Amino acid sequence: MTILRGLMRATALVAVTAALAGPALAKDVTISVWAGGTGPNDVYRVDSIDIAADILEREAAIRGEELNITVEKTTYPGWPDFKQALTLSAEAGNPPNIVVSGHEDIAPWAQSGLIVPVEDYVDLDAWPLSAIYPNLMEIASYSGSVYGIPQDAESRPFFFWRPSMLAIGYTDADLDALPQKVQDGAYTLANVLEDAKKMQDAGVVQPGYGFYPRPSNGPDYWQFYRSFGGTLEENGKLVFDRAAMTKFYQFFVDAVAAGVTKKNHIGMDDATWWADIGAGKAGIWHGGTWHYARYVNQEGMKDFFGNVQFSLIPAGDAQGKANTLTHPLVYLLTANKDEELVQIAADLITIASEPQINVLHAIKSAHLGISEEETTLALYSDNRWASEASQRLLPYATAMPNNANFGVYWDAMWAGLQASWTGTKTVDQAISDVETTLKSGLGDAIIIR
């Protein structure tokens, strides 16, 4: 245990009294940490706090104190169950001390008072926090304050099944050059549909498997809006670009019309989607950098680099550009009347952010590092996926805005995409519905153009 920053600010009289009283009494504390979206490859989101607790206890012992920290760890594979449980615990006045969640939760949770600024409890100018990538720290901030500490970084690439691409005329050299063509805008989303159709026409993949998108709602879909030049936020206000959203929706309608994506693809079983990709049934798809761990660990993909090429999300047209989205999860401190507990939780987060600890999560889960120093460690630099994904994707990554109104926008976007994708409504009707929802729900908080 380390001497708590709060205790370090105690009066000299208290310190002297404690010294005269003889050996310090043992202090027992319990710190709870909950992590959403966490499967078997992501256990260091909570295990790192365990490691940090051991270090904190050892530091305390060297100072002649005894601190016993019990870390209660809870992980949720899905996000809905995690959010519901957290809401109920907060309403009952007993939220976990540390929450690991997406950065987009910072704004609404800060406004509700669930979380407190982490900058009030840590030294952002001291290592290891000072070494974290500045753009990640910006993503973890809201309304001028740093609320979270990035727990990981990631990007969301496009994937191509190499054997299927070779079967329609590409060479290995072509595929090696493909990521640069995507980056330069020479290979676009229109080419994606063309190649997906060629694979199906050649019998390389089954109908509906040429382009195999994520089957559920997620941040990934905002990348396609950006591919057509869409902007999410300007000067603190959300932005709804009709033209970009229309072209984004139309791309998926065209995919269904071409038969390369199924009309009922959304809502398919996740396990089936993963298994199909692992077995090479999908021609082109999109996902996250952490998918690599799933492919090689759970889906049994023996030769990832021999079977898969990856790139940025291609541009949609001349108004857009190739891009990727990073959606870092962040450590957040919940409000607690016991300031000492909040301080201990903050100290644990600081230690867990050290490169030697964070790299365990990055490599086991196939996420990306949070600092340049982390990338120099052998465990990271010797890992081909971590190195190539960092270089190819991160320089072009943007993030969703930390805006308390973004949830309304996200829900409206997804409803419109589903309606147009499934043919329930035309693209124009879906866009009109989204605009109506945003006008009524957000008013002047969103720019509509």
Side-chain angles (χ1 to χ4, degrees), residues 272-287:
T272 300
W273 184 76
W274 282 108
D276 287 345
I277 290 172
K281 292 182 178 180
I284 305 171
W285 69 100
H286 63 97

Side-chain angles (χ1 to χ4, degrees), residues 164-165 168 195-205 210 283-284:
S164 295
M165 295 289 279
I168 59 171
D195 284 342
K197 187 70 163 57
K198 288 178 183 178
M199 290 180 197
Q200 292 186 179
D201 290 346
V204 177
V205 299
I284 305 171

Side-chain angles (χ1 to χ4, degrees), residues 161-201:
W161 190 253
R162 292 183 71 110
S164 295
M165 295 289 279
L166 291 170
I168 59 171
Y170 282 83
T171 65
D172 284 321
D174 293 333
L175 292 176
D176 291 342
L178 187 56
Q180 188 63 49
K181 288 188 66 176
V182 171
Q183 181 181 319
D184 295 341
Y187 185 96
T188 69
L189 290 176
N191 299 121
V192 169
L193 297 188
E194 292 171 1
D195 284 342
K197 187 70 163 57
K198 288 178 183 178
M199 290 180 197
Q200 292 186 179
D201 290 346

Side-chain angles (χ1 to χ4, degrees), residues 222 224-234 237-250 317 319-320 406 409 413 427-428 430-432 434-435 438-439 442 446-449:
W222 289 108
F224 295 92
Y225 174 65
R226 290 186 183 277
S227 288
F228 290 104
T231 300
L232 284 173
E233 188 178 43
E234 281 182 5
K237 283 192 174 184
L238 297 173
V239 177
F240 171 61
D241 185 319
R242 292 187 192 90
M245 194 69 74
T246 297
K247 289 185 281 189
F248 157 33
Y249 285 5
Q250 188 64 51
D317 57 20
Q319 283 68 52
F406 188 61
Y409 190 8
M413 177 278 285
V427 170
D428 287 343
I431 292 293
S432 179
V434 173
E435 184 172 342
L438 296 178
K439 283 180 176 178
L442 298 180
I446 189 166
I447 300 168
I448 297 178
R449 62 187 182 202

Side-chain angles (χ1 to χ4, degrees), residues 299-348:
E299 304 306 329
M301 195 179 290
K302 300 301 182 184
D303 183 11
F304 176 85
F305 291 99
N307 285 310
V308 178
Q309 180 58 287
F310 71 99
S311 73
L312 296 166
I313 305 297
D317 57 20
Q319 283 68 52
K321 60 183 180 180
N323 70 98
T324 186
L325 182 142
T326 186
H327 178 245
L329 296 198
V330 291
Y331 284 122
L332 302 170
L333 296 172
T334 59
N336 194 306
K337 293 180 180 179
D338 188 339
E339 284 286 301
E340 193 172 297
L341 278 182
V342 180
Q343 186 60 64
I344 292 175
D347 290 342
L348 294 176

Side-chain angles (χ1 to χ4, degrees), residues 23-24 26 38 60 83 106 186 237 243 301 303 356 361 379 392 411 413 417 436:
T38 297
K83 297 290 181 69
I106 290 175
K237 283 192 174 184
M301 195 179 290
D303 183 11
Q356 198 73 51
H361 168 72
L379 185 62
R392 193 177 301 177
D411 289 343
M413 177 278 285
L417 178 61
T436 298

Side-chain angles (χ1 to χ4, degrees), residues 70-87:
T70 298
V71 178
E72 294 182 345
K73 302 176 293 186
T74 306
T75 60
Y76 293 84
W79 289 105
D81 289 345
F82 165 70
K83 297 290 181 69
Q84 182 182 33
L86 186 61
T87 298

